[in-house]
Amino acid sequence: MSAPRPVLGVGVLGAGTVGSQVIRILQSSREDFAARSGAEMEVRRVLVRNVDAPRDAPIDRELLTTDPAEAIDNMDLVVELIGGIEPARTLVLRALNQGISVVTGNKALLAAHGPELYEAAASNGADLYYEAAVAGAVPVVYGLRESLAGDRITTVMGIVNGTTNFILDAMSTKGLSYEDALKQAQDLGFAEADPTADVEGFDAAAKCSILASLAFHTRVGIDDVAVEGISSITKEDMEEAARVGHTIKLLAIAERRIGEDGREGVAMRVHPAQVPSDHPLASVDGAFNAILVEGEAAGRLMFYGQGAGGAPTASAVLSDLVAAAHHRAFGGHAPRESVYAHLPILDPGSTHTRYQIRLQVEDRLGVLSDVAGIFARHGVSIQSVHQRNDEVPGACVIVVTSHRAREADLRAVARALSVSDAVREVTSTIRVEGE
Amino acid sequence: MSAPRPVLGVGVLGAGTVGSQVIRILQSSREDFAARSGAEMEVRRVLVRNVDAPRDAPIDRELLTTDPAEAIDNMDLVVELIGGIEPARTLVLRALNQGISVVTGNKALLAAHGPELYEAAASNGADLYYEAAVAGAVPVVYGLRESLAGDRITTVMGIVNGTTNFILDAMSTKGLSYEDALKQAQDLGFAEADPTADVEGFDAAAKCSILASLAFHTRVGIDDVAVEGISSITKEDMEEAARVGHTIKLLAIAERRIGEDGREGVAMRVHPAQVPSDHPLASVDGAFNAILVEGEAAGRLMFYGQGAGGAPTASAVLSDLVAAAHHRAFGGHAPRESVYAHLPILDPGSTHTRYQIRLQVEDRLGVLSDVAGIFARHGVSIQSVHQRNDEVPGACVIVVTSHRAREADLRAVARALSVSDAVREVTSTIRVEGE
């Protein structure tokens, strides 16, 4: 009765944890995918570095190739899951320049070369999809790019890195030190041997810039994000947070607001922060990701799910593939890069946040007044002060939490405290968000 | 330099709370929408019953008409926000049959006539979008129809009715009776004067059937949903739930599972249930909606946001409108109805759940053994029993919580208890979910 379904050739670049799941599911649910996209998808070649390497899921050996041309040229769709900048960039461009649609999970590539890839896609009539690059299975790229296309977004705030979330979780619930929690994450496969990209916040910053581009229709890069990692968070910071009913999370925050020159702009930052325990992000555990989005009309939305792992990430890749396949077979195309707003990047120092500063001070009369004076001189008002004796004789601990103030002024307060005679040591400064 | 943007005419049917917000935002953010969809959208006519009625947001009087033909014919896009079955059905079909794409927020219409509308859309090359029909601003239709197109969904469980959520919330946090909480909801505008559709679960059932159709690629209707409302929930039920660390929510649940005949099928139900306080749905307060989706690859995802209200619902309508406008101007189309799976509807009695049954029994030796015997005879095993003295002399209260068992067996237990000599009264039966 009906016309035979078109058959689309799919080349997969990379057969690691995610790639092998993508291939497995594409093959095992072939009929489902055909019914949903209206076209058959056939994995025709899988690019690997070594055809003899062990795989997470078995792959038909004759699909494997080490020649990029075989896995890209003459395909209808290409899935890039190699990661990193090169050779991923060259291969993705090779596909797009031939008009082949690309689905990628490569956040580093997008954060560094997004505009170039978008332009190659648009000028060759190809789709570029990348749901899996931001938060694993969580459909936040879809959400921002399509579901919220009818709204003006003001804030995106999320937990987008599972490694750091696992570490902070272990510190908070098991009372581990940062070093022990990191070791545990490494032992369980949640952290790399070299954890720098995760724990220093670079992975979250790349994702933050992708989310901000989508939310604010503006080109931003990873270098526009003010980044601070979690490696200086201590057990004591966790205890202090718990004392006030808070927990510590690594947040990626992108905001649209009026800058100090009166113009609207975008500010982006990644840093650990205390959040109240009843905040929606506080209960996001382990390897889960969650992204809060505030729209002028929609109000607050949250997207929540698994941020990493072979199958969850494959789920995101496959949805993108269904959409790209549908366009290939029946016309239409993915949303192009939308950067019409061209908002300026705001100075991170002009961001408003709150600090909790923990100090070791001399145990003498008047020291609190000295400390409070430093806050006042920088125009920062204090919300609460908590004082207790320290284990060190002659010293006590003061924990000061500010009201919302300019980041630059808060930093100036911390600097002034560190050189004040009244203060022995600024033990910790941490931001407080979500109140 | 670039070609002038196409200008699309938009007809809006209904100018109530949502309609007037849609018109306001379309007009105030006209440039934003044009940049995002690539086409200008111009509201050309607004169908109302009475041009002189007061509006939530002012609408240019010359846009208003009482003639459906003026608001539909010759438009490129039509937004239907009248609600109810007729005349909405006739008007939506009038648009679709002319190849005009329709965005609707009408869950009753979709639940009752979805297939007819889908067919009219597909055969005339028009789009049919309805994000606003299910959970206000929460992009769960997008999520199921597009973001999860690469996965096999097993369960959808959500809070999709703000009125009942508000009432249960007020009962739980303020200790109100059902009647007082309903009155408060009515006074605050969260419940209609005739609250039947909300409190008896019919609104949630319509949404449940729409979600199930999307998740399981199967045509289902509202009559396939087993429905139970919240009007019999008492203060005592809330206290009992709190005692075991639970809260009571009205859940809409759609599951794909193997039926008792060994074939895969779909089961749908709407009913109040106890959920543990640390369950993601437990903390969904007031007018918020949240939908948990379990995918075989994605694992658990949650979509959360405002389920009602003019601006949030308008946000969903406008995103749909951007997508439809883009297709109209540049080709491509919305996903068509996907019902290829044709799964059978499973008998609700075969669903597995847990019951908590509260009984008033004779205060005599052996009564617990009698009660336990009734459970055992129906093959239902008991997880916990809690016994306490009642205010009534000679009686005591037993609260029995079962393990998971067949709904039909649990119902048989409740019936047998109600006629047992040992039992004075079955005070309450409530399901327990999410553990």
Side-chain angles (χ1 to χ4, degrees), chain A residues 32 35-36 142 147 149 151 217 297 301-302 304 312 315 319 340, chain B residues 32 35-36 142 147 149 151 217 297 301-302 304 312 315 319 340:
Chain A
D32 274 340
R36 290 176 203 170
Y142 239 100
S147 302
D151 210 336
H217 304 276
L301 294 175
M302 187 166 82
Y304 167 96
S315 168
S319 332
Y340 70 88
Chain B
D32 275 339
R36 290 176 203 171
Y142 239 101
S147 303
D151 209 335
H217 305 276
L301 295 174
M302 187 167 82
Y304 167 95
S315 168
S319 334
Y340 70 88

PDB file of all heavy atoms in Angstrom, chain A residues 32 35-36 142 147 149 151 217 297 301-302 304 312 315 319 340, chain B residues 32 35-36 142 147 149 151 217 297 301-302 304 312 315 319 340:
ATOM      1  N   ASP A  32      11.249   0.106  15.573  1.00  0.00           N
ATOM      2  CA  ASP A  32      10.710   1.250  16.319  1.00  0.00           C
ATOM      3  C   ASP A  32      11.174   2.562  15.690  1.00  0.00           C
ATOM      4  O   ASP A  32      10.390   3.482  15.483  1.00  0.00           O
ATOM      5  CB  ASP A  32      11.199   1.223  17.780  1.00  0.00           C
ATOM      6  CG  ASP A  32      10.315   0.361  18.664  1.00  0.00           C
ATOM      7  OD1 ASP A  32       9.165   0.097  18.277  1.00  0.00           O
ATOM      8  OD2 ASP A  32      10.785  -0.051  19.746  1.00  0.00           O
ATOM      9  N   ALA A  35       9.523   3.290  12.424  1.00  0.00           N
ATOM     10  CA  ALA A  35       8.135   3.730  12.572  1.00  0.00           C
ATOM     11  C   ALA A  35       8.076   5.182  13.044  1.00  0.00           C
ATOM     12  O   ALA A  35       7.185   5.933  12.668  1.00  0.00           O
ATOM     13  CB  ALA A  35       7.399   2.821  13.549  1.00  0.00           C
ATOM     14  N   ARG A  36       9.044   5.564  13.876  1.00  0.00           N
ATOM     15  CA  ARG A  36       8.981   6.911  14.433  1.00  0.00           C
ATOM     16  C   ARG A  36       9.496   7.978  13.482  1.00  0.00           C
ATOM     17  O   ARG A  36       8.989   9.085  13.440  1.00  0.00           O
ATOM     18  CB  ARG A  36       9.781   6.986  15.733  1.00  0.00           C
ATOM     19  CG  ARG A  36       9.100   6.206  16.829  1.00  0.00           C
ATOM     20  CD  ARG A  36       9.943   6.197  18.069  1.00  0.00           C
ATOM     21  NE  ARG A  36       9.599   5.058  18.893  1.00  0.00           N
ATOM     22  CZ  ARG A  36      10.294   4.673  19.940  1.00  0.00           C
ATOM     23  NH1 ARG A  36      11.374   5.346  20.293  1.00  0.00           N
ATOM     24  NH2 ARG A  36       9.921   3.630  20.633  1.00  0.00           N
ATOM     25  N   TYR A 142      16.915  20.606  23.714  1.00  0.00           N
ATOM     26  CA  TYR A 142      15.580  20.649  23.142  1.00  0.00           C
ATOM     27  C   TYR A 142      14.719  21.691  23.837  1.00  0.00           C
ATOM     28  O   TYR A 142      14.026  22.475  23.219  1.00  0.00           O
ATOM     29  CB  TYR A 142      14.906  19.286  23.322  1.00  0.00           C
ATOM     30  CG  TYR A 142      14.514  18.677  22.016  1.00  0.00           C
ATOM     31  CD1 TYR A 142      15.304  17.707  21.432  1.00  0.00           C
ATOM     32  CD2 TYR A 142      13.368  19.101  21.364  1.00  0.00           C
ATOM     33  CE1 TYR A 142      14.964  17.157  20.223  1.00  0.00           C
ATOM     34  CE2 TYR A 142      13.021  18.557  20.146  1.00  0.00           C
ATOM     35  CZ  TYR A 142      13.823  17.582  19.578  1.00  0.00           C
ATOM     36  OH  TYR A 142      13.478  17.044  18.369  1.00  0.00           O
ATOM     37  N   SER A 147      11.328  24.084  22.987  1.00  0.00           N
ATOM     38  CA  SER A 147      10.157  24.225  23.860  1.00  0.00           C
ATOM     39  C   SER A 147      10.021  25.630  24.427  1.00  0.00           C
ATOM     40  O   SER A 147       8.936  26.043  24.775  1.00  0.00           O
ATOM     41  CB  SER A 147      10.232  23.257  25.042  1.00  0.00           C
ATOM     42  OG  SER A 147      10.334  21.959  24.603  1.00  0.00           O
ATOM     43  N   ALA A 149      11.050  28.382  22.886  1.00  0.00           N
ATOM     44  CA  ALA A 149      11.216  29.369  21.812  1.00  0.00           C
ATOM     45  C   ALA A 149      10.170  30.470  21.897  1.00  0.00           C
ATOM     46  O   ALA A 149      10.319  31.514  21.275  1.00  0.00           O
ATOM     47  CB  ALA A 149      11.155  28.685  20.455  1.00  0.00           C
ATOM     48  N   ASP A 151       9.363  32.086  24.678  1.00  0.00           N
ATOM     49  CA  ASP A 151       9.499  32.799  25.953  1.00  0.00           C
ATOM     50  C   ASP A 151      10.807  33.594  25.983  1.00  0.00           C
ATOM     51  O   ASP A 151      11.690  33.381  25.155  1.00  0.00           O
ATOM     52  CB  ASP A 151       9.502  31.768  27.097  1.00  0.00           C
ATOM     53  CG  ASP A 151       8.932  32.335  28.382  1.00  0.00           C
ATOM     54  OD1 ASP A 151       8.958  33.567  28.568  1.00  0.00           O
ATOM     55  OD2 ASP A 151       8.444  31.544  29.207  1.00  0.00           O
ATOM     56  N   HIS A 217      20.276  33.619  22.846  1.00  0.00           N
ATOM     57  CA  HIS A 217      20.402  33.921  21.421  1.00  0.00           C
ATOM     58  C   HIS A 217      21.609  34.811  21.162  1.00  0.00           C
ATOM     59  O   HIS A 217      21.518  35.849  20.506  1.00  0.00           O
ATOM     60  CB  HIS A 217      19.102  34.569  20.903  1.00  0.00           C
ATOM     61  CG  HIS A 217      17.892  33.712  21.161  1.00  0.00           C
ATOM     62  ND1 HIS A 217      17.526  32.686  20.322  1.00  0.00           N
ATOM     63  CD2 HIS A 217      17.008  33.693  22.186  1.00  0.00           C
ATOM     64  CE1 HIS A 217      16.444  32.097  20.815  1.00  0.00           C
ATOM     65  NE2 HIS A 217      16.115  32.680  21.939  1.00  0.00           N
ATOM     66  N   ALA A 297       7.482  34.316  30.899  1.00  0.00           N
ATOM     67  CA  ALA A 297       6.098  33.832  30.906  1.00  0.00           C
ATOM     68  C   ALA A 297       5.983  32.484  31.607  1.00  0.00           C
ATOM     69  O   ALA A 297       5.102  32.282  32.438  1.00  0.00           O
ATOM     70  CB  ALA A 297       5.561  33.725  29.474  1.00  0.00           C
ATOM     71  N   LEU A 301      10.975  26.398  35.393  1.00  0.00           N
ATOM     72  CA  LEU A 301      10.892  25.025  34.884  1.00  0.00           C
ATOM     73  C   LEU A 301      12.109  24.267  35.366  1.00  0.00           C
ATOM     74  O   LEU A 301      13.170  24.852  35.564  1.00  0.00           O
ATOM     75  CB  LEU A 301      10.935  25.013  33.352  1.00  0.00           C
ATOM     76  CG  LEU A 301       9.786  25.640  32.585  1.00  0.00           C
ATOM     77  CD1 LEU A 301      10.109  25.631  31.097  1.00  0.00           C
ATOM     78  CD2 LEU A 301       8.496  24.875  32.840  1.00  0.00           C
ATOM     79  N   MET A 302      11.982  22.966  35.555  1.00  0.00           N
ATOM     80  CA  MET A 302      13.175  22.175  35.848  1.00  0.00           C
ATOM     81  C   MET A 302      13.222  20.938  34.969  1.00  0.00           C
ATOM     82  O   MET A 302      12.207  20.276  34.749  1.00  0.00           O
ATOM     83  CB  MET A 302      13.251  21.770  37.314  1.00  0.00           C
ATOM     84  CG  MET A 302      14.597  21.098  37.644  1.00  0.00           C
ATOM     85  SD  MET A 302      14.940  20.951  39.422  1.00  0.00           S
ATOM     86  CE  MET A 302      14.011  19.496  39.807  1.00  0.00           C
ATOM     87  N   TYR A 304      15.358  17.315  34.679  1.00  0.00           N
ATOM     88  CA  TYR A 304      16.123  16.486  35.601  1.00  0.00           C
ATOM     89  C   TYR A 304      16.323  15.098  35.013  1.00  0.00           C
ATOM     90  O   TYR A 304      15.409  14.543  34.398  1.00  0.00           O
ATOM     91  CB  TYR A 304      15.316  16.400  36.896  1.00  0.00           C
ATOM     92  CG  TYR A 304      15.733  15.377  37.906  1.00  0.00           C
ATOM     93  CD1 TYR A 304      16.571  15.732  38.955  1.00  0.00           C
ATOM     94  CD2 TYR A 304      15.264  14.067  37.830  1.00  0.00           C
ATOM     95  CE1 TYR A 304      16.942  14.786  39.906  1.00  0.00           C
ATOM     96  CE2 TYR A 304      15.635  13.120  38.779  1.00  0.00           C
ATOM     97  CZ  TYR A 304      16.475  13.493  39.815  1.00  0.00           C
ATOM     98  OH  TYR A 304      16.840  12.561  40.739  1.00  0.00           O
ATOM     99  N   PRO A 312      22.036   6.315  28.995  1.00  0.00           N
ATOM    100  CA  PRO A 312      21.327   7.602  29.025  1.00  0.00           C
ATOM    101  C   PRO A 312      21.824   8.569  27.944  1.00  0.00           C
ATOM    102  O   PRO A 312      21.024   9.237  27.282  1.00  0.00           O
ATOM    103  CB  PRO A 312      21.620   8.147  30.430  1.00  0.00           C
ATOM    104  CG  PRO A 312      21.886   6.934  31.251  1.00  0.00           C
ATOM    105  CD  PRO A 312      22.572   5.968  30.328  1.00  0.00           C
ATOM    106  N   SER A 315      20.522   7.608  24.632  1.00  0.00           N
ATOM    107  CA  SER A 315      19.119   7.985  24.453  1.00  0.00           C
ATOM    108  C   SER A 315      19.007   9.373  23.828  1.00  0.00           C
ATOM    109  O   SER A 315      18.209   9.611  22.920  1.00  0.00           O
ATOM    110  CB  SER A 315      18.399   7.938  25.802  1.00  0.00           C
ATOM    111  OG  SER A 315      17.136   8.554  25.728  1.00  0.00           O
ATOM    112  N   SER A 319      17.521  10.312  19.981  1.00  0.00           N
ATOM    113  CA  SER A 319      16.408  11.224  19.692  1.00  0.00           C
ATOM    114  C   SER A 319      16.833  12.225  18.637  1.00  0.00           C
ATOM    115  O   SER A 319      16.057  12.553  17.734  1.00  0.00           O
ATOM    116  CB  SER A 319      15.983  12.036  20.909  1.00  0.00           C
ATOM    117  OG  SER A 319      16.239  11.378  22.077  1.00  0.00           O
ATOM    118  N   TYR A 340      20.637  36.241  17.176  1.00  0.00           N
ATOM    119  CA  TYR A 340      20.184  37.571  16.773  1.00  0.00           C
ATOM    120  C   TYR A 340      20.271  38.607  17.886  1.00  0.00           C
ATOM    121  O   TYR A 340      20.330  39.805  17.630  1.00  0.00           O
ATOM    122  CB  TYR A 340      18.743  37.495  16.252  1.00  0.00           C
ATOM    123  CG  TYR A 340      17.734  37.217  17.331  1.00  0.00           C
ATOM    124  CD1 TYR A 340      17.156  38.256  18.063  1.00  0.00           C
ATOM    125  CD2 TYR A 340      17.365  35.909  17.655  1.00  0.00           C
ATOM    126  CE1 TYR A 340      16.250  37.988  19.064  1.00  0.00           C
ATOM    127  CE2 TYR A 340      16.459  35.648  18.656  1.00  0.00           C
ATOM    128  CZ  TYR A 340      15.903  36.691  19.362  1.00  0.00           C
ATOM    129  OH  TYR A 340      15.021  36.437  20.372  1.00  0.00           O
TER     130      TYR A 340
ATOM    131  N   ASP B  32      11.402  39.423  18.492  1.00  0.00           N
ATOM    132  CA  ASP B  32      12.016  38.189  19.001  1.00  0.00           C
ATOM    133  C   ASP B  32      11.472  36.971  18.258  1.00  0.00           C
ATOM    134  O   ASP B  32      12.218  36.105  17.818  1.00  0.00           O
ATOM    135  CB  ASP B  32      11.701  37.998  20.495  1.00  0.00           C
ATOM    136  CG  ASP B  32      12.680  38.738  21.390  1.00  0.00           C
ATOM    137  OD1 ASP B  32      13.784  39.055  20.917  1.00  0.00           O
ATOM    138  OD2 ASP B  32      12.329  38.992  22.560  1.00  0.00           O
ATOM    139  N   ALA B  35      12.723  36.755  14.741  1.00  0.00           N
ATOM    140  CA  ALA B  35      14.118  36.310  14.658  1.00  0.00           C
ATOM    141  C   ALA B  35      14.218  34.812  14.906  1.00  0.00           C
ATOM    142  O   ALA B  35      15.052  34.126  14.320  1.00  0.00           O
ATOM    143  CB  ALA B  35      14.966  37.088  15.662  1.00  0.00           C
ATOM    144  N   ARG B  36      13.368  34.284  15.772  1.00  0.00           N
ATOM    145  CA  ARG B  36      13.483  32.862  16.123  1.00  0.00           C
ATOM    146  C   ARG B  36      12.837  31.946  15.093  1.00  0.00           C
ATOM    147  O   ARG B  36      13.344  30.866  14.831  1.00  0.00           O
ATOM    148  CB  ARG B  36      12.823  32.614  17.476  1.00  0.00           C
ATOM    149  CG  ARG B  36      13.637  33.234  18.588  1.00  0.00           C
ATOM    150  CD  ARG B  36      12.919  33.053  19.898  1.00  0.00           C
ATOM    151  NE  ARG B  36      13.372  34.069  20.840  1.00  0.00           N
ATOM    152  CZ  ARG B  36      12.814  34.291  22.000  1.00  0.00           C
ATOM    153  NH1 ARG B  36      11.781  33.555  22.379  1.00  0.00           N
ATOM    154  NH2 ARG B  36      13.266  35.221  22.800  1.00  0.00           N
ATOM    155  N   TYR B 142       6.550  17.911  24.120  1.00  0.00           N
ATOM    156  CA  TYR B 142       7.815  17.961  23.387  1.00  0.00           C
ATOM    157  C   TYR B 142       8.738  16.838  23.816  1.00  0.00           C
ATOM    158  O   TYR B 142       9.352  16.160  23.004  1.00  0.00           O
ATOM    159  CB  TYR B 142       8.515  19.290  23.690  1.00  0.00           C
ATOM    160  CG  TYR B 142       8.758  20.079  22.456  1.00  0.00           C
ATOM    161  CD1 TYR B 142       7.924  21.144  22.119  1.00  0.00           C
ATOM    162  CD2 TYR B 142       9.804  19.760  21.602  1.00  0.00           C
ATOM    163  CE1 TYR B 142       8.130  21.859  20.973  1.00  0.00           C
ATOM    164  CE2 TYR B 142      10.009  20.479  20.452  1.00  0.00           C
ATOM    165  CZ  TYR B 142       9.171  21.532  20.140  1.00  0.00           C
ATOM    166  OH  TYR B 142       9.383  22.228  18.994  1.00  0.00           O
ATOM    167  N   SER B 147      11.973  14.624  22.245  1.00  0.00           N
ATOM    168  CA  SER B 147      13.236  14.364  22.944  1.00  0.00           C
ATOM    169  C   SER B 147      13.428  12.902  23.277  1.00  0.00           C
ATOM    170  O   SER B 147      14.548  12.447  23.424  1.00  0.00           O
ATOM    171  CB  SER B 147      13.307  15.143  24.254  1.00  0.00           C
ATOM    172  OG  SER B 147      13.143  16.492  24.027  1.00  0.00           O
ATOM    173  N   ALA B 149      12.202  10.396  21.470  1.00  0.00           N
ATOM    174  CA  ALA B 149      11.900   9.575  20.298  1.00  0.00           C
ATOM    175  C   ALA B 149      12.945   8.483  20.099  1.00  0.00           C
ATOM    176  O   ALA B 149      12.729   7.547  19.350  1.00  0.00           O
ATOM    177  CB  ALA B 149      11.810  10.453  19.054  1.00  0.00           C
ATOM    178  N   ASP B 151      14.055   6.484  22.511  1.00  0.00           N
ATOM    179  CA  ASP B 151      14.068   5.592  23.678  1.00  0.00           C
ATOM    180  C   ASP B 151      12.765   4.792  23.734  1.00  0.00           C
ATOM    181  O   ASP B 151      11.807   5.110  23.051  1.00  0.00           O
ATOM    182  CB  ASP B 151      14.208   6.444  24.950  1.00  0.00           C
ATOM    183  CG  ASP B 151      14.909   5.699  26.064  1.00  0.00           C
ATOM    184  OD1 ASP B 151      14.879   4.463  26.081  1.00  0.00           O
ATOM    185  OD2 ASP B 151      15.482   6.371  26.929  1.00  0.00           O
ATOM    186  N   HIS B 217       2.994   5.131  21.733  1.00  0.00           N
ATOM    187  CA  HIS B 217       2.706   5.036  20.299  1.00  0.00           C
ATOM    188  C   HIS B 217       1.464   4.181  20.054  1.00  0.00           C
ATOM    189  O   HIS B 217       1.469   3.270  19.235  1.00  0.00           O
ATOM    190  CB  HIS B 217       3.919   4.495  19.541  1.00  0.00           C
ATOM    191  CG  HIS B 217       5.158   5.307  19.783  1.00  0.00           C
ATOM    192  ND1 HIS B 217       5.453   6.453  19.068  1.00  0.00           N
ATOM    193  CD2 HIS B 217       6.151   5.175  20.684  1.00  0.00           C
ATOM    194  CE1 HIS B 217       6.579   6.975  19.512  1.00  0.00           C
ATOM    195  NE2 HIS B 217       7.025   6.226  20.497  1.00  0.00           N
ATOM    196  N   ALA B 297      16.621   3.401  28.078  1.00  0.00           N
ATOM    197  CA  ALA B 297      17.997   3.887  27.986  1.00  0.00           C
ATOM    198  C   ALA B 297      18.211   5.124  28.864  1.00  0.00           C
ATOM    199  O   ALA B 297      19.184   5.211  29.596  1.00  0.00           O
ATOM    200  CB  ALA B 297      18.360   4.202  26.540  1.00  0.00           C
ATOM    201  N   LEU B 301      13.736  10.537  34.041  1.00  0.00           N
ATOM    202  CA  LEU B 301      13.762  11.964  33.742  1.00  0.00           C
ATOM    203  C   LEU B 301      12.612  12.626  34.471  1.00  0.00           C
ATOM    204  O   LEU B 301      11.581  12.009  34.694  1.00  0.00           O
ATOM    205  CB  LEU B 301      13.543  12.216  32.254  1.00  0.00           C
ATOM    206  CG  LEU B 301      14.589  11.720  31.265  1.00  0.00           C
ATOM    207  CD1 LEU B 301      14.087  11.956  29.845  1.00  0.00           C
ATOM    208  CD2 LEU B 301      15.911  12.436  31.482  1.00  0.00           C
ATOM    209  N   MET B 302      12.783  13.906  34.826  1.00  0.00           N
ATOM    210  CA  MET B 302      11.636  14.626  35.375  1.00  0.00           C
ATOM    211  C   MET B 302      11.501  15.978  34.692  1.00  0.00           C
ATOM    212  O   MET B 302      12.495  16.661  34.459  1.00  0.00           O
ATOM    213  CB  MET B 302      11.729  14.805  36.878  1.00  0.00           C
ATOM    214  CG  MET B 302      10.443  15.417  37.451  1.00  0.00           C
ATOM    215  SD  MET B 302      10.301  15.322  39.262  1.00  0.00           S
ATOM    216  CE  MET B 302      11.290  16.712  39.741  1.00  0.00           C
ATOM    217  N   TYR B 304       9.383  19.584  35.186  1.00  0.00           N
ATOM    218  CA  TYR B 304       8.728  20.270  36.302  1.00  0.00           C
ATOM    219  C   TYR B 304       8.472  21.728  35.948  1.00  0.00           C
ATOM    220  O   TYR B 304       9.323  22.358  35.306  1.00  0.00           O
ATOM    221  CB  TYR B 304       9.678  20.159  37.495  1.00  0.00           C
ATOM    222  CG  TYR B 304       9.384  21.032  38.678  1.00  0.00           C
ATOM    223  CD1 TYR B 304       8.657  20.547  39.751  1.00  0.00           C
ATOM    224  CD2 TYR B 304       9.863  22.334  38.743  1.00  0.00           C
ATOM    225  CE1 TYR B 304       8.406  21.348  40.857  1.00  0.00           C
ATOM    226  CE2 TYR B 304       9.616  23.146  39.851  1.00  0.00           C
ATOM    227  CZ  TYR B 304       8.887  22.638  40.898  1.00  0.00           C
ATOM    228  OH  TYR B 304       8.636  23.427  41.989  1.00  0.00           O
ATOM    229  N   PRO B 312       2.186  31.232  31.988  1.00  0.00           N
ATOM    230  CA  PRO B 312       2.878  29.957  31.752  1.00  0.00           C
ATOM    231  C   PRO B 312       2.256  29.152  30.610  1.00  0.00           C
ATOM    232  O   PRO B 312       2.962  28.604  29.764  1.00  0.00           O
ATOM    233  CB  PRO B 312       2.729  29.219  33.090  1.00  0.00           C
ATOM    234  CG  PRO B 312       2.572  30.294  34.107  1.00  0.00           C
ATOM    235  CD  PRO B 312       1.800  31.376  33.409  1.00  0.00           C
ATOM    236  N   SER B 315       3.164  30.607  27.350  1.00  0.00           N
ATOM    237  CA  SER B 315       4.527  30.273  26.952  1.00  0.00           C
ATOM    238  C   SER B 315       4.562  28.990  26.127  1.00  0.00           C
ATOM    239  O   SER B 315       5.249  28.904  25.101  1.00  0.00           O
ATOM    240  CB  SER B 315       5.409  30.140  28.205  1.00  0.00           C
ATOM    241  OG  SER B 315       6.647  29.549  27.888  1.00  0.00           O
ATOM    242  N   SER B 319       5.588  28.631  22.047  1.00  0.00           N
ATOM    243  CA  SER B 319       6.656  27.781  21.496  1.00  0.00           C
ATOM    244  C   SER B 319       6.114  26.940  20.358  1.00  0.00           C
ATOM    245  O   SER B 319       6.776  26.769  19.325  1.00  0.00           O
ATOM    246  CB  SER B 319       7.217  26.811  22.526  1.00  0.00           C
ATOM    247  OG  SER B 319       7.059  27.270  23.796  1.00  0.00           O
ATOM    248  N   TYR B 340       1.965   3.360  15.809  1.00  0.00           N
ATOM    249  CA  TYR B 340       2.352   2.106  15.171  1.00  0.00           C
ATOM    250  C   TYR B 340       2.390   0.924  16.125  1.00  0.00           C
ATOM    251  O   TYR B 340       2.301  -0.227  15.702  1.00  0.00           O
ATOM    252  CB  TYR B 340       3.728   2.265  14.505  1.00  0.00           C
ATOM    253  CG  TYR B 340       4.861   2.404  15.493  1.00  0.00           C
ATOM    254  CD1 TYR B 340       5.508   1.268  15.986  1.00  0.00           C
ATOM    255  CD2 TYR B 340       5.266   3.640  15.952  1.00  0.00           C
ATOM    256  CE1 TYR B 340       6.524   1.382  16.917  1.00  0.00           C
ATOM    257  CE2 TYR B 340       6.279   3.763  16.877  1.00  0.00           C
ATOM    258  CZ  TYR B 340       6.910   2.638  17.355  1.00  0.00           C
ATOM    259  OH  TYR B 340       7.904   2.745  18.282  1.00  0.00           O
TER     260      TYR B 340
END
